[in-house]
Amino acid sequence: MTTAVGPESLWLWIGTIGMTLGTLYFVGRGRGVRDAKMQEFYIITIFITAIAAVNYFAMATGFGVTEVMVGDEALTIYWARYTDWLFTTPLLLLDLSLLAGANRNTIATLIGLDVFMIGTGAIATFASTPATRIAWWGISTGALLVLLYVLVGTLSEKARSKSAEVASLFGTLRNLVIVLWLLYPVVWILGTEGTFGILPLYWETAAFMVLDLSAKVGFGVVLLRSRSVLESAVTPT
Ligand code: RET
């Protein structure tokens, strides 16, 4: 089950290499961390980039790609994005939740909304008429907006009860997530999936690669930068 991959494979290979290097870097940083609570951050973050690395590899080698007919037009669909996002976006939210000291209900709400968002986004991607594609995109984007609302409300309030440095790190990561995550539905709708034909597949693939590397490797670098901040995050106050 392999499909010919076009010139956009350049970006998919850069994504594969970037995610692999990110994984190795986080493994290196995590060595020697003994505290079980602190290890959680490293384990989660390592899985985020490792899962992305294999999905990028699947896309670059033509496994993670298929065609979807919309009317009489055949769209090239990189489905492995969705298997990547389905697992990695909940893990990113888990990192943020642990940092903020969120309770179980808040974590479940965030991850529930997230899976709902990626699931309905996948339906949008495979739907066979432009109108239904846009409708599912709207449903998925609605879930994203509610998710970000919880991030800004409940989760930020939780983080404020932590030490000043943890609250500040949380604020940085939260803002990064807000900006980057909002760009995904924009790239989707302007790209080939949106069927408006504004952004060709080549540039869409480049845009998703830059977003994915920033949202995963960039996020992880900022999160794991300071051991002392993480230490204070896992110390009960
Ligand atoms: C889709 C299309 C439908 C509308 C929306 C989307 C949102 C995707 C998001 C993806 C985030 C991915 C991340 C990857 C990790 O690096 C599915 C594109 C709202 C928010 C952060």
Side-chain angles (χ1 to χ4, degrees):
M1 203 178 90
T2 43
T3 311
V5 177
E8 71 278 8
S9 70
L10 167 67
W11 308 122
L12 298 170
W13 282 114
I14 296 177
T16 308
I17 294 165
M19 294 298 179
T20 306
L21 292 178
T23 306
L24 295 174
Y25 175 70
F26 298 143
V27 168
R29 291 224 58 144
R31 290 183 64 215
V33 176
R34 291 285 165 260
D35 181 88
K37 281 275 158 212
M38 276 184 65
Q39 286 175 340
E40 287 177 10
F41 289 108
Y42 290 85
I43 295 169
I44 295 167
T45 310
I46 289 165
F47 268 109
I48 292 170
T49 47
I51 292 170
V54 292
N55 278 285
Y56 260 93
F57 181 69
M59 292 192 280
T61 53
F63 178 84
V65 53
T66 187
E67 271 184 359
V68 171
M69 291 303 295
V70 179
D72 50 14
E73 202 194 342
L75 293 186
T76 301
I77 295 296
Y78 283 100
W79 58 260
R81 294 195 183 294
Y82 298 87
T83 47
D84 170 342
W85 297 344
L86 186 62
F87 295 104
T88 57
T89 51
L91 290 173
L92 286 162
L93 293 173
L94 196 54
D95 261 342
L96 272 183
S97 300
L98 291 176
L99 189 64
N103 61 31
R104 216 177 244 266
N105 283 358
T106 307
I107 299 177
T109 305
L110 280 171
I111 293 184
L113 283 164
D114 183 81
V115 170
F116 183 95
M117 169 186 83
I118 301 298
T120 51
I123 300 177
T125 305
F126 285 95
S128 53
T129 64
T132 48
R133 296 176 72 83
I134 307 301
W136 284 108
W137 174 88
I139 294 168
S140 176
T141 303
L144 171 62
L145 295 178
V146 179
L147 187 163
L148 295 180
Y149 180 80
V150 177
L151 222 54
V152 171
T154 318
L155 211 58
S156 301
E157 197 186 305
K158 269 278 176 195
R160 273 195 288 275
S161 61
K162 293 272 175 181
S163 68
E165 34 173 12
V166 172
S168 146
L169 175 62
F170 174 85
T172 307
L173 290 170
R174 181 203 60 192
N175 294 343
L176 189 75
V177 164
I178 295 173
V179 172
L180 293 175
W181 289 35
L182 279 172
L183 290 170
Y184 281 87
V186 175
V187 172
W188 191 100
I189 201 81
L190 297 180
T192 52
E193 283 93 342
T195 69
F196 295 114
I198 298 168
L199 200 61
L201 185 62
Y202 184 78
W203 292 113
E204 177 190 343
T205 310
F208 273 137
M209 182 271 290
V210 172
L211 285 179
D212 283 341
L213 282 178
S214 314
K216 291 186 168 88
V217 181
F219 179 97
V221 166
V222 175
L223 174 69
L224 304 180
R225 196 159 48 189
S226 163
R227 249 185 223 189
S228 64
V229 178
L230 293 184
E231 242 157 53
S232 120
V234 299
T235 314
T237 40

